[in-house]
Amino acid sequence: MHLIGDTHLHRHPDHTPGAQLPVVLVVAAGGAVGALLRYGAARLWRNGSDAHAVWRVGEAAFPWTTLAVNAVGCFLMGVLTVALKERFTRAPRLLNPFLGTGVLGGFTTFSSYTDDTRRLLENDQAGAALGYLVLTVAAALAGVVLGVALARAVLTRPGRTANVTGRAA
């Protein structure tokens, strides 16, 4: 373990020599968890991308669930980035690929975002499609910025780092 730059004690797992199988396995496990969470959100709030339950004949429902999932996922990515890169710098090296690429990558969805837009356009709802495109990007950017800001306000103090247990180093 070594310091890279100002804060990173681990190289990114994809950039380290040696076997990548552990990284692949934690990303796959995290992706399964994230996809199940997204599926659960779509089941709870059926105005998302669940085509058989959502898209009526004629006008398409606005995909609020997909928008919310992507905004929340971006917020959590902001929190995770600060937590692992600035506060808990001695966290296990596979935690970031598990939570970031795996769980949050499986939870958020660019494919549903674009398909929802296509469905709105096919239903002659160009205004709603454009609004959805812009609102999702704005919400995602706001989410990650707010996540970073909140995590820094709560987790970091100037001149202080912590190990994975949270005790000052």
Side-chain angles (χ1 to χ4, degrees), residues 38 41-50 54-56 59-73 107-109 112-113 115-117 119-120 125 127-140:
R38 183 175 72 234
R43 299 289 293 167
L44 287 171
W45 301 286
R46 290 190 171 251
N47 66 340
S49 295
D50 194 357
V54 175
W55 301 106
R56 305 180 301 270
E59 187 176 299
F62 193 85
W64 289 107
T65 304
T66 305
L67 189 151
V69 160
N70 286 332
V72 167
F107 181 63
T108 58
T109 172
S112 291
Y113 166 62
D115 191 50
D116 293 341
T117 303
R119 290 174 195 258
L120 289 167
Q125 294 173 267
L130 180 61
Y132 178 56
L133 285 170
V134 171
L135 187 57
T136 297
V137 172

Side-chain angles (χ1 to χ4, degrees), residues 22-48:
V23 177
V24 171
L25 293 176
V26 299
V27 167
V33 170
L36 287 170
L37 290 170
R38 183 175 72 234
Y39 176 75
R43 299 289 293 167
L44 287 171
W45 301 286
R46 290 190 171 251
N47 66 340

Side-chain angles (χ1 to χ4, degrees), residues 41-167:
R43 299 289 293 167
L44 287 171
W45 301 286
R46 290 190 171 251
N47 66 340
S49 295
D50 194 357
H52 72 276
V54 175
W55 301 106
R56 305 180 301 270
V57 175
E59 187 176 299
F62 193 85
W64 289 107
T65 304
T66 305
L67 189 151
V69 160
N70 286 332
V72 167
C74 288
F75 172 81
L76 293 173
M77 184 60 81
V79 171
L80 178 68
T81 299
V82 171
L84 295 183
K85 302 299 181 189
E86 297 179 22
R87 177 71 165 113
F88 302 105
T89 57
R90 297 186 189 280
R93 82 176 187 95
L94 295 176
L95 190 59
N96 191 34
F98 173 75
L99 294 174
T101 305
V103 175
L104 294 177
F107 181 63
T108 58
T109 172
F110 190 74
S111 57
S112 291
Y113 166 62
T114 55
D115 191 50
D116 293 341
T117 303
R118 177 194 59 80
R119 290 174 195 258
L120 289 167
L121 289 170
E122 282 182 356
N123 281 289
D124 295 322
Q125 294 173 267
L130 180 61
Y132 178 56
L133 285 170
V134 171
L135 187 57
T136 297
V137 172
L141 289 171
V144 76
V145 167
L146 289 172
V148 166
L150 180 64
R152 282 190 175 139
V154 171
L155 296 177
T156 63
R157 294 186 193 116
R160 181 181 165 157
T161 60
N163 62 23
V164 74
T165 62
R167 286 177 274 174

